[in-house]
Amino acid sequence: MSNRTDDARKRAQTARQILTVAQMRAAEQGLMDAGHDVHALMQRAGRGAGEWVRRLAAGRSVTVLCGPGNNGGDGYVIAQYLADHDVPVCVVAARPPQTDAARRARSLFAGEVREAGAALSQEGLPRGGVLVDCLFGSGLSRPLSDDLAALLGDLAAHHAMRVAVDLPSGVDADTGALLNEGLPEWTLTLALGAWKPAHFMMPACVTMGAVRLVDIGVEAMPGAAQVLARPVIAAPAPDAHKYRRGLLGIVAGAMPGATLLSAQAALRGGAGYVRLLTGGEAPSGVPAELVVSRGALPDLLADGRYGALLVGPGLGRDDAARAKLDVALASGLPLVIDADALVLLQPGLAGVNGLATRACVLTPHEGEMQVLEHNFGLSGEGDRPARAVALARASGAHVLLKGPCSVIAAPDGSVTMGSRASSWLSVAGSGDVLAGTVASRLAVTRDAGAAAAQALWLHSRAAERAGSAFTSGELAHAIGGALAEVLA
Ligand SMILES: NC(=O)C1=CN([C@@H]2O[C@H](COP(=O)(O)OP(=O)(O)OC[C@H]3O[C@@H](n4cnc5c(N)ncnc54)[C@H](OP(=O)(O)O)[C@@H]3O)[C@@H](O)[C@H]2O)[C@@H](O)CC1
Ligand SMILES: [K+]
């Protein structure tokens, strides 16, 4: 029983790993060393993908476009699987197979193959229900030539649904770059064996439609990035009280709107007690549930019961804001640093060296990230996961780099990638809601990685629950419902 549970846990973990082309090759080698051969893996991958296509086709005809490599090989296996299940299928061979496994897969396909090229007229190109793209996968090394791009585009335009196998042809697996202009949009993309970075990176990920993983038994690779998992969040303990559940302090600044928005989210993110820490009058519009503590920040923080602090939303960038950031850094408390506070953060500030010794999350968007990279003397080179890792290493904090596809990097170099989030999140105040949610989870968990991951998931799910054209206030209100979905 426990072996079975262990196995299930292991498979769930490997189902979340994201492998670069180099890591995928190493994983493939691991499978070879364990006695599998490419032919067997291709059969497994092709049949798994074929079953998805069979269901999607629901009796309609299928065209499989096959390229020269093993992605093309998968295509012949898919075609044979469909033929075995009485689905009408035709293969268009864009190029002859060039690998032993692909040649063998083609030789085992008993159905019709049309060779692309001058001899195949426009009229000879099949039209049908589902196009399956097996032109190129992770081996794509350059843009598609004009003839291949035209063939792919023509077939895509004449099929109602389009399935990309492993990756859409024309997509760079490691970076998510589109190597050609005008590439088709896909209904479904089936990742084979493991996710690739492109499945979670702009601009490629928005062309892929729904994405699903076909398991072929790839083992866990050390150091692999992980897909953001749906969290499991425990309800408060039976004997919990507001302090033990987590007291969060939110540092108020010059612009109360952003601070209050982050507080609205924090109140719904699980913390037992949220206090607004202000040196002056309480801003208008403070909800009854939000306790306002007035006084000098060092005095307010002398209360030893804080689980976490949030500094940044609405803080401002003047000397008073700088002084508050200094106090927050000097407090040694678990910390979420967002918005203006990110712009003020400098490696030379007292307390910054201590970020590695406490739970701390930085939540920059792209613009704030560039300022941080400049201030921390980082090159800013590489893709978003690599840049987030560089900042996490340099600062000692976890970095939640926000965007359509958000990335979380830990100081140890580990990376978690979020799925594409609702584009309705591009609304003013959305970042304040995220920061409040991270801070709330940090007050509860005191664990920067867990808080960032849980909050990113909750924020994304809250957007789905809020629907379309929501305000950031409505988004903050939806955090509670998202949390209720993942209670243990
Ligand atoms: N890893 C695994 O465990 C498993 C992997 N599997 C499958 O294998 C796929 C990877 O296979 P792959 O390495 O053969 O790469 P793939 O993308 O088929 O083509 C490479 C060929 O295309 C060529 N070529 C490249 N770009 C080109 C261009 N623009 N225009 C023209 N030619 C171009 C390139 O030649 P070259 O770059 O040398 O000129 C080479 O000949 C993977 O995505 C998955 O589907 C599964 O079977 C199960 C197990
Ligand atoms: K493909």
Side-chain angles (χ1 to χ4, degrees):
M1 179 68 184
S2 81
N3 276 350
R4 223 181 292 159
T5 317
D6 278 358
D7 273 2
R9 196 174 305 130
K10 243 169 94 182
R11 293 271 20 112
Q13 264 169 11
T14 52
R16 290 209 309 275
Q17 67 179 348
I18 303 170
L19 301 185
T20 62
V21 173
Q23 286 171 323
M24 194 68 206
R25 289 208 179 109
E28 195 179 8
Q29 190 55 50
L31 288 170
M32 304 293 150
D33 296 345
H36 301 271
D37 64 19
V38 185
H39 171 72
L41 292 176
M42 190 176 277
Q43 289 293 321
R44 193 163 174 188
R47 287 173 188 168
E51 178 54 20
W52 278 103
V53 176
R54 185 186 72 79
R55 287 195 219 167
L56 191 70
R60 283 169 288 200
S61 65
V62 175
T63 302
V64 184
L65 175 63
C66 291
N70 285 346
N71 195 250
D74 296 336
Y76 294 104
V77 179
I78 291 169
Q80 187 58 47
Y81 181 90
L82 294 172
D84 289 344
H85 289 80
D86 300 323
V87 179
V89 58
C90 171
V91 167
V92 174
R95 297 279 188 271
Q98 296 295 321
T99 69
D100 289 344
R103 274 190 280 266
R104 187 168 169 193
R106 171 154 176 178
S107 73
L108 293 172
F109 175 57
E112 183 191 4
V113 178
R114 298 182 197 176
E115 305 287 344
L120 185 62
S121 66
Q122 192 81 1
E123 293 73 42
L125 285 173
R127 277 72 175 94
V130 181
L131 172 67
V132 180
D133 164 28
C134 292
L135 187 54
F136 298 109
S138 56
L140 184 81
S141 55
R142 56 191 177 279
L144 305 179
S145 55
D146 290 347
D147 66 318
L148 289 179
L151 176 65
L152 182 67
D154 181 279
L155 288 172
H158 289 94
H159 289 76
M161 285 182 284
R162 298 162 297 279
V163 180
V165 171
D166 206 12
L167 293 149
S169 297
V171 163
D172 183 281
D174 283 352
T175 66
L178 302 176
L179 302 191
N180 291 75
E181 286 183 8
L183 289 169
E185 301 259 318
W186 301 91
T187 317
L188 172 68
T189 295
L190 298 168
L192 300 185
W195 300 107
K196 317 296 177 309
H199 294 120
F200 303 95
M201 291 174 85
M202 292 288 281
C205 68
V206 292
T207 70
M208 293 187 189
V211 288
R212 296 289 182 270
L213 179 68
V214 175
D215 182 11
I216 60 169
V218 170
E219 293 294 323
M221 293 296 289
Q226 301 285 312
V227 181
L228 179 68
R230 179 187 171 95
V232 179
I233 293 180
D239 61 345
H241 56 65
K242 61 189 178 192
Y243 291 108
R244 207 178 298 151
R245 244 181 86 180
L247 169 60
L248 171 67
I250 300 184
V251 179
M255 291 153 293
T259 323
L260 290 180
L261 204 47
S262 63
Q264 289 284 8
L267 285 164
R268 290 163 177 82
Y273 192 173
V274 182
R275 282 186 190 161
L276 185 69
L277 309 177
T278 173
E281 291 300 310
S284 60
V286 172
E289 311 90 313
L290 180 62
V291 175
V292 179
S293 297
R294 292 174 55 196
L297 194 55
D299 298 340
L300 296 177
L301 295 184
D303 182 336
R305 292 172 291 189
Y306 283 99
L309 270 187
L310 167 60
V311 59
L315 185 70
R317 299 182 184 183
D318 57 6
D319 288 347
R322 248 175 247 281
K324 286 177 184 171
L325 176 59
D326 285 344
V327 175
L329 290 169
S331 71
L333 285 167
L335 198 56
V336 176
I337 304 178
D338 182 50
D340 289 334
L342 292 169
V343 176
L344 298 176
L345 196 67
Q346 298 273 352
L349 292 181
V352 171
N353 289 340
L355 292 186
T357 59
R358 70 167 101 184
C360 180
V361 186
L362 313 181
T363 52
H365 56 50
E366 178 59 34
E368 290 154 353
M369 183 70 185
Q370 288 177 18
V371 175
L372 282 161
E373 286 173 333
H374 175 263
N375 290 349
F376 278 79
L378 300 170
S379 72
E381 280 164 15
D383 55 27
R384 281 164 55 83
R387 291 169 58 207
V389 166
L391 179 60
R393 288 206 162 114
S395 64
H398 279 68
V399 173
L400 196 175
L401 177 53
K402 297 181 286 197
C405 300
S406 296
V407 176
I408 300 169
D412 69 2
S414 57
V415 169
T416 303
M417 296 174 79
S419 300
R420 178 166 33 105
S422 164
S423 55
W424 291 108
L425 278 170
S426 53
V427 60
S430 171
D432 303 319
V433 172
L434 179 60
T437 312
V438 179
S440 193
R441 297 312 308 158
L442 189 60
V444 176
T445 62
R446 317 274 175 113
D447 176 330
Q454 291 174 2
L456 180 57
W457 192 93
L458 291 172
H459 188 249
S460 183
R461 181 70 190 124
E464 287 168 9
R465 292 176 65 94
S468 53
F470 48 76
T471 67
S472 44
E474 287 161 350
L475 179 66
H477 280 257
I479 293 288
L483 189 146
E485 287 185 29
V486 295
L487 286 177

